[in-house]
Amino acid sequence: MQKVKINNYPMVNPAPVVIAGAEVDGKPNYATIGAFGVVCLAPVFYISLKETHFTTQGIRENGYFSVNIPTADMVRITDYCGMVSGKTTDKANLFNSFYDDAGKAPMISEAPMNFLCKVIQTVPISGFEVFFGEIVLTYIDDNCLTDGRPDPAKINPMVLVGPNYFNIGQLIGNAFKEGVKFKQV
Ligand SMILES: Cc1cc2nc3c(=O)[nH]c(=O)nc-3n(C[C@H](O)[C@H](O)[C@H](O)COP(=O)(O)O)c2cc1C
């Protein structure tokens, strides 16, 4: 086996597929996002959105966004949500929306896990805006909990690798426990 150099290609990291939500012009709007992640031990997420997206406009205007975790069963509607823009297609009724009391950003009832995030920092980069959002509220369907904790097997999220959607497959180990077994060998 030999290492070969190929074109620089960043889309190999398995990315959780989420749907970002924002209120735009007084209505809910949603965009499918692969560029999402955790940044530190504090409850802060980042999402990176093209600066021209309709959702981006709503996040800028309101200072809040939601992160919704769709199930693998929602692959078609999730993909569709990432193919059409709220600028030309009304996505307000694509999902059933719910709000917290302050009504800052719409969240998706059909998605088993939902986060409401308050923008604390924005970084522009190469035509995108990276929004860092402090998680202010987290909702989960009660049937997705095991012993009071979110259970990934019950949530059944999707992962994007390149242009392909996968479900998360089997549990293969526990963080900070497998390494102990390695050390003992
Ligand atoms: C699987 C998938 C992942 C996507 N990831 C991103 C992303 O990380 N950032 C982004 O700006 N757009 C991403 N998109 C594209 C937007 O979801 C898409 O352009 C959407 O139509 C924007 O909607 P809006 O204009 O109503 O906000 C993705 C689309 C798909 C299908």
Side-chain angles (χ1 to χ4, degrees):
M1 200 254 298
Q2 229 188 340
K3 289 281 179 201
V4 290
K5 283 187 183 166
I6 61 171
N7 290 338
N8 295 333
Y9 181 69
M11 301 301 184
V12 287
N13 64 317
V17 179
V18 303
I19 303 174
E23 193 78 354
V24 193
D25 294 342
K27 284 201 290 192
N29 194 69
Y30 297 101
T32 302
I33 299 294
F36 155 82
V38 173
V39 285
C40 57
L41 284 176
V44 176
F45 283 149
Y46 80 88
I47 52 170
S48 180
L49 277 97
K50 215 169 176 184
E51 59 190 18
T52 51
H53 284 345
F54 202 50
T55 311
T56 311
Q57 184 185 318
I59 300 174
R60 268 194 229 116
E61 281 170 8
N62 296 299
Y64 281 83
F65 62 88
S66 68
V67 170
N68 305 273
I69 314 289
T71 68
D73 299 330
M74 293 169 68
V75 63
R76 286 190 182 171
I77 196 167
T78 301
D79 198 47
Y80 175 78
C81 181
M83 293 167 58
V84 294
S85 173
K87 283 185 242 172
T88 48
T89 303
D90 189 347
K91 291 190 269 185
N93 297 313
L94 193 54
F95 305 101
N96 289 305
S97 298
F98 71 98
Y99 292 82
D100 73 305
D101 292 346
K104 297 292 189 186
M107 291 171 271
I108 298 175
S109 300
E110 295 88 332
M113 201 163 187
N114 321 88
F115 302 89
L116 179 69
C117 299
K118 181 182 190 326
V119 176
I120 53 170
Q121 206 172 325
T122 306
V123 177
I125 181 159
S126 300
F128 280 69
E129 288 190 28
V130 185
F131 295 105
F132 293 89
E134 181 188 349
I135 302 168
V136 291
L137 282 173
T138 304
Y139 289 93
I140 187 164
D141 290 356
D142 55 4
N143 62 2
C144 289
L145 292 169
T146 298
D147 299 329
R149 290 178 173 221
D151 185 331
K154 292 178 179 171
I155 296 168
N156 189 24
M158 274 177 280
V159 175
L160 193 67
V161 186
N164 303 309
Y165 295 100
F166 292 84
N167 60 22
I168 57 169
Q170 300 301 310
L171 176 71
I172 58 159
N174 301 110
F176 304 109
K177 289 188 182 160
E178 302 309 314
V180 174
K181 295 175 202 161
F182 177 79
K183 264 204 312 202
Q184 285 167 349
V185 170

